[in-house]
């Protein structure tokens, strides 16, 4: 009741007498947090430590950030979980309370926040010498935090931030990011400086994870030209991710994020399902195409159930698996046995497999030939190197594969001269901006009706 009275009076005073106030909203907020924490400690304070809980601290951080640059110093207890089991929960809780008291008393300019699992964050609007703060805390860490029959000694890692966060998301991610920074500090035995670029990375990761969770990744189609059929015979399905704030995120960037986080299998299956939905509505024969090409990540290929899952998805949409050519890169070949199993199952159902990006790594012709590839795709950089006259190997490589009955696709065809030369060299399929860029579904359908029938190379 008393709290509401204070609030109401405060609000009226702020509204009508703001020019006379000496206290701005930031200090008001700080006082209110302290006041409510006192009134209702369970909501505002972390029960274990008595410090401000990181959940309550988010609006505080937001206010701080709006005012300008701020300082944050993060302290993480090393091997926290191990220490808990070694010293016991009670002893650790006493230790954390002792640390909170110490931090409050030693650094009165800072707000002390407890961000769970042994992590403290000190926040202040003032600029501080981080090395001084660190030196003081490190020195204190030499002594036990609880001095009973089993003295509690702890060590810590440190991370720091000085500046202003650019976006709202940076604030939501701040405590998560501090945790990542402290992990890194513990691993590297060094102090980590949290920079804006690392927040941007955290923001990008979240955007990608959210897009995968909500199935928001779209598919585009890049036409493939058959040199023998002399027409567009297929298309490569390429994933596209658009974010309202960040715009288009490059596929190589979001694919790498998905691979690192383990969500690439989910993304791969979503892309495949969207390709199946497209074919269910527009059968290949109606489009005048032979197959759609689909990229499979090496990480996805490690899963021994990959082919089974893809077959189930295709079946659900009544699309035959032989409508697809799956593209895999050489790094997938490391998981030989599982890859072989997956390939066998897809091939048994009529799909074909293509080796993507040939010429980028340490390509080993004999190793490649051990696998049942129908086709090898020469990477754009390799094709370009031939036309820039920096690598003359191209015709020999094409001939080599052909002598083993492996077809060649060349990508990155940007002009007539490239298309004509590669047709003469015997490439079966050509792909590149000369024919078309990757197109959204509607534009691709339009392209097939209007432009595709007119596409010819000079060797016709
Ligand atoms: P990729 O498999 O080598 O795909 C071909 C890339 O070359 C595409 O880039 C395409 O837009 C680009 N490209 C095609 N023709 C030309 C050309 O004439 N000139 C130039 N400069 N570029 C050309 P994109 O769409 O940015 O994709 C990049 C990579 O991301 C792909 O390389 C592929 O490795 C990966 N990716 C895209 N979609 C998927 C997917 O659904 N799953 C997986 N696992 N990876 C994907
Ligand atoms: Ca590809
Ligand atoms: Ca490539």
């Amino acid at each position: 009741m008393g709290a509401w009275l204070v609030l109401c009076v405060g609000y009226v005073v702020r509204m009508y007498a703001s020019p006379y106030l000496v206290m701005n909203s930031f200090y008001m907020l700080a006082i209110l947090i302290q006041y409510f924490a006192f009134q209702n400690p369970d909501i505002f304070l972390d029960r274990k430590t008595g410090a401000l809980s990181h959940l309550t601290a988010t609006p505080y951080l937001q206010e701080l950030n709006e005012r300008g640059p701020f300082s944050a110093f993060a302290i993480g207890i090393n091997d926290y979980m191990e220490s808990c089991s070694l010293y016991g929960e009670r002893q650790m809780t006493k230790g954390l309370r002792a640390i909170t008291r110490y931090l409050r008393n030693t650094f009165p300019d800072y707000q002390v926040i407890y961000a769970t699992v042994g992590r403290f964050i000190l926040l202040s609007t003032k600029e501080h010498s981080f090395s001084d703060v660190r030196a003081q805390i490190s020195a204190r860490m030499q002594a036990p935090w609880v001095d009973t029959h089993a003295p509690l000694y702890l060590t810590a890692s440190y991370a720091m931030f000085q500046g202003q966060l650019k976006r709202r998301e940076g604030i939501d991610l701040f405590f998560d990011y501090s945790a990542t920074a402290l992990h890194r500090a513990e691993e590297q035995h060094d102090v980590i400086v949290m920079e804006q670029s690392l927040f941007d990375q955290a923001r990008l990761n979240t955007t990608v994870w959210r897009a995968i969770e909500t199935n928001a990744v779209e598919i585009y189609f890049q036409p493939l030209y058959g040199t023998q059929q002399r027409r567009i015979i297929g298309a490569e399905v390429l994933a596209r991710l658009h974010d309202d704030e960040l715009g288009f995120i490059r596929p190589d960037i979001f694919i790498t994020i998905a691979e690192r986080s383990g969500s690439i299998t989910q993304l791969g299956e979503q892309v495949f399902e969207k390709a199946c939905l497209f074919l269910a509505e527009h059968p290949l024969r109606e489009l005048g195409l032979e197959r759609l090409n689909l990229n499979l990540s090496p990480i996805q290929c490690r899963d021994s159930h990959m082919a089974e899952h893809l077959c189930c998805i295709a079946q659900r949409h009544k699309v035959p698996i032989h409508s697809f050519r799956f593209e895999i890169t050489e790094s997938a070949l490391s998981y030989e046995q599982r890859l072989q199993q997956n390939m066998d199952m897809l091939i048994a159902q009529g799909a074909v497999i293509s080796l993507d990006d040939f010429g980028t790594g340490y390509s080993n012709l004999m190793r490649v030939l051990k696998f049942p590839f129908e086709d090898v795709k020469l990477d754009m950089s390799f094709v370009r190197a031939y036309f820039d006259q920096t690598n003359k190997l191209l015709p020999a490589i094409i001939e080599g594969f052909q002598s083993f009955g492996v077809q060649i696709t060349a990508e990155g065809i940007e002009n007539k001269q490239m298309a004509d030369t590669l047709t003469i060299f015997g490439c079966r399929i050509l792909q590149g901006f000369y024919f078309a860029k990757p197109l959204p579904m509607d534009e691709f359908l339009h392209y097939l009706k209007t432009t595709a029938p007119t596409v010819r190379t000079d060797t016709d």
Side-chain angles (χ1 to χ4, degrees), residues 126-192:
K126 294 191 182 149
E127 213 170 306
H128 289 267
S129 154
F130 284 123
S131 52
D132 286 354
V133 175
R134 187 195 165 200
Q136 280 193 68
I137 300 174
S138 300
R140 174 61 187 84
M141 285 275 170
Q142 305 298 317
W145 290 97
V146 182
D147 207 358
T148 53
H149 57 283
L152 178 70
Y153 284 97
L154 297 168
T155 61
S157 299
Y158 308 95
M160 56 187 69
F161 176 79
Q162 168 66 45
Q164 194 171 11
L165 299 168
K166 275 192 196 144
R167 286 182 284 260
R168 176 82 187 84
E169 283 76 5
I171 294 161
D172 291 341
L173 283 170
F174 188 80
F175 294 107
D176 286 349
Y177 185 66
S178 312
T180 314
L182 285 173
H183 275 303
R184 217 179 275 177
E186 189 173 346
E187 265 170 26
Q188 296 177 7
H189 304 287
D190 202 358
V191 178
I192 298 291

Side-chain angles (χ1 to χ4, degrees), residues 128-388:
H128 289 267
S129 154
F130 284 123
S131 52
D132 286 354
V133 175
R134 187 195 165 200
Q136 280 193 68
I137 300 174
S138 300
R140 174 61 187 84
M141 285 275 170
Q142 305 298 317
W145 290 97
V146 182
D147 207 358
T148 53
H149 57 283
L152 178 70
Y153 284 97
L154 297 168
T155 61
S157 299
Y158 308 95
M160 56 187 69
F161 176 79
Q162 168 66 45
Q164 194 171 11
L165 299 168
K166 275 192 196 144
R167 286 182 284 260
R168 176 82 187 84
E169 283 76 5
I171 294 161
D172 291 341
L173 283 170
F174 188 80
F175 294 107
D176 286 349
Y177 185 66
S178 312
T180 314
L182 285 173
H183 275 303
R184 217 179 275 177
E186 189 173 346
E187 265 170 26
Q188 296 177 7
H189 304 287
D190 202 358
V191 178
I192 298 291
V193 179
M194 299 189 249
E195 288 165 346
Q196 185 60 44
S197 65
L198 295 169
F199 287 106
D200 290 344
Q201 182 63 47
R203 155 105 171 91
L204 191 61
N205 290 350
T206 312
T207 306
V208 173
W209 297 330
R210 212 175 290 153
I212 297 171
E213 258 166 39
T214 56
N215 196 7
V217 173
E218 290 178 72
I219 57 170
Y220 274 43
F221 301 82
Q222 187 175 28
L224 300 173
Y225 179 81
T227 55
Q228 292 190 328
Q229 300 88 337
R230 298 174 176 190
R231 62 181 177 86
I232 298 298
I233 55 158
E236 177 172 3
V237 175
L238 292 159
R240 289 289 179 271
L241 172 50
H242 184 267
D243 179 71
D244 288 343
E245 208 180 302
L246 302 179
F248 274 104
I249 301 171
R250 274 178 30 210
D252 50 339
I253 292 178
F254 71 77
I255 298 286
T256 308
I257 292 175
E259 285 179 338
R260 286 200 189 129
S261 68
S263 47
I264 187 69
T265 300
Q266 198 181 346
L267 172 65
E269 290 180 1
Q270 287 173 358
V271 168
F272 182 63
E273 178 143 35
K274 285 183 181 172
C276 288
L277 280 165
F278 171 76
L279 286 184
E281 207 178 319
H282 308 280
L284 282 175
R285 203 182 304 159
E286 270 177 31
L287 300 173
L289 303 179
E290 295 176 4
R291 290 181 199 269
L292 280 188
N293 285 27
L294 236 121
N295 292 286
L296 297 176
S297 146
I299 313 277
Q300 209 179 340
C301 295
R302 274 197 291 194
D303 179 354
S304 47
H305 299 294
M306 178 188 75
E308 204 182 311
H309 291 168
L310 296 179
C311 291
C312 280
I313 294 170
Q315 226 168 18
R316 199 161 60 233
H317 296 286
K318 301 193 173 53
V319 172
I321 205 93
H322 61 70
S323 315
F324 296 99
R325 173 183 283 110
F326 293 100
E327 299 186 5
I328 62 169
T329 52
E330 262 184 288
S331 44
L333 307 188
S334 327
Y335 312 97
E336 204 165 310
Q337 212 184 348
R338 275 177 265 174
L339 179 69
Q340 193 76 52
Q341 259 173 281
N342 278 318
M343 282 173 113
D344 288 348
M345 185 168 182
L346 295 171
I347 291 170
Q349 306 222 15
V352 293
I353 318 279
S354 172
L355 180 71
D356 202 2
D357 291 349
F358 186 85
T360 46
Y362 297 97
S363 306
N364 178 333
L365 214 72
M366 293 327 282
R367 182 146 166 260
V368 167
L369 290 170
K370 268 175 61 186
F371 293 89
F373 292 116
E374 191 205 60
D375 155 79
V376 164
K377 272 185 102 167
L378 302 178
D379 190 65
M380 185 166 2
S381 55
F382 191 62
V383 173
R384 255 185 218 159
Y386 177 78
F387 289 95
D388 293 348

